[in-house]
Amino acid sequence: REGECTVTTTSTDPILSPTTGEPVDVVARRNRMGIWLCIVSDAAGTVSLLIAYAYLWSLNVNDSWAPKKGRWADDVLFWAIVAGMVVACAVLWWGVRGIQAGHRGRLVGAASLAGLVLVAMFVVQVWQLSTFPFDIQESAYTSATFWLALSNAFHLALGSLLVLAVVNRTRTGRIAVGNSSHARLVAMWITWLVVAAFLASVFTTAMKASRNTDPPAFQSLTPPSP
C-alpha cells in the first residue's frame, strides 16, 4: 500500500551474531584478540613453572633435586596424556573445518569425541597425581613435577568444559555455518594446551638426575636453638 515500504534481505547482508547483534566478523576479531591474550597470560604461568623446574634441576642446591628414594615419575603416562590431547585437538580442528565447509553435524560429532577424550585424559592426569611414587615435599624434583602435572590437570578440566560447550552451542544454533568463530577459538586454545603439555613432558623426561655434581650448599635460615 501507498506509504509503506518493504525491507528485503539479500545474500550480501552481513550475518549477525545471535548474542550481540553485531556482524559476526566484528565479534570474531574481538574474540580472537581475547583468546590470544588468554594464551599469552596462561603461557606466562606455564613458562614460569618450566623455568623453575630447569633452574632447580641445574642448580641442585644442597644436592636436594633428586627424590630421596630415587623414584622418578613414569614417563609413559606423561606422553600418553600428550598423545590423547593431540588426538582430541586434531579431531576438534577436523570438526571446525567441517562447519566452515557447511557440515554442522560434523562439528557436533567431532567436538563430542574431542570432549570425551579430554575428560578421559583429565581422569588419567588425576590418577597420575594421586599415584606418584613420591611425596610432593620429598625433593625439588617432586615439587616441580607435581606442579607441572597439576597445571595440566587444570588445563584439561577447563579444555573439556570449553569443548563440551562447543557441542551445546552448535546444537542450539549459537555456532553455525557462517558463524563458527567460537569453535575455532576453542580449537586454538586446545592447541596451546597441547603445546604446554608437550613442553612439560619434554622437561620431565629429559631433565631427571641433575648434571650438577658439585651443587652449592646453602645454610638454613633457621636460627640455632639456644
Side-chain angles (χ1 to χ4, degrees), residues 106-126:
R106 194 165 106 181
L107 178 59
V108 174
S112 299
L113 178 58
L116 291 174
V117 173
L118 290 176
V119 169
M121 292 305 100
F122 171 75
V123 172
V124 174
Q125 184 65 85
V126 171

Side-chain angles (χ1 to χ4, degrees), residues 131-176:
T131 57
F132 272 142
F134 44 69
D135 184 82
I136 184 176
Q137 299 178 341
E138 189 173 317
S139 68
Y141 163 81
T142 59
S143 179
T145 301
F146 181 89
W147 281 108
L148 285 174
L150 187 62
S151 173
N152 197 51
F154 172 77
H155 281 164
L156 286 166
L158 180 58
S160 301
L161 291 175
L162 291 175
V163 172
L164 294 176
V166 169
V167 176
N168 291 330
R169 289 177 63 83
T170 305
R171 291 179 60 189
T172 58
R174 297 290 182 176
I175 297 175

Side-chain angles (χ1 to χ4, degrees), residues 46-197:
T46 300
V47 171
S48 296
L49 290 175
L50 294 174
I51 289 175
Y53 185 103
Y55 176 78
L56 293 170
W57 171 80
S58 62
L59 201 59
N60 191 21
V61 175
N62 292 340
D63 198 24
S64 62
W65 165 254
K68 294 179 175 57
K69 297 180 181 179
R71 295 181 296 184
W72 308 91
D74 187 1
D75 295 337
V76 174
L77 276 180
F78 283 113
W79 289 108
I81 293 171
V82 172
M85 294 175 70
V86 169
V87 170
C89 184
V91 170
L92 182 60
W93 275 112
W94 178 73
V96 171
R97 296 285 186 265
I99 196 169
Q100 289 175 340
H103 305 294
R104 172 176 168 271
R106 194 165 106 181
L107 178 59
V108 174
S112 299
L113 178 58
L116 291 174
V117 173
L118 290 176
V119 169
M121 292 305 100
F122 171 75
V123 172
V124 174
Q125 184 65 85
V126 171
W127 182 79
Q128 183 190 40
L129 280 164
S130 63
T131 57
F132 272 142
F134 44 69
D135 184 82
I136 184 176
Q137 299 178 341
E138 189 173 317
S139 68
Y141 163 81
T142 59
S143 179
T145 301
F146 181 89
W147 281 108
L148 285 174
L150 187 62
S151 173
N152 197 51
F154 172 77
H155 281 164
L156 286 166
L158 180 58
S160 301
L161 291 175
L162 291 175
V163 172
L164 294 176
V166 169
V167 176
N168 291 330
R169 289 177 63 83
T170 305
R171 291 179 60 189
T172 58
R174 297 290 182 176
I175 297 175
V177 178
N179 183 25
S180 60
S181 62
H182 285 179
R184 180 179 177 83
L185 296 179
V186 171
M188 290 171 58
W189 174 254
I190 300 301
T191 302
W192 154 245
L193 299 190
V194 171
V195 173

Side-chain angles (χ1 to χ4, degrees), residues 4 6 14 19 22 26 64 82 145 160 169 179 187 192 198 201 220:
E4 291 183 350
T6 303
T19 53
E22 300 171 285
V26 174
S64 62
V82 172
T145 301
S160 301
R169 289 177 63 83
N179 183 25
W192 154 245
F198 173 80
S201 296
S220 173

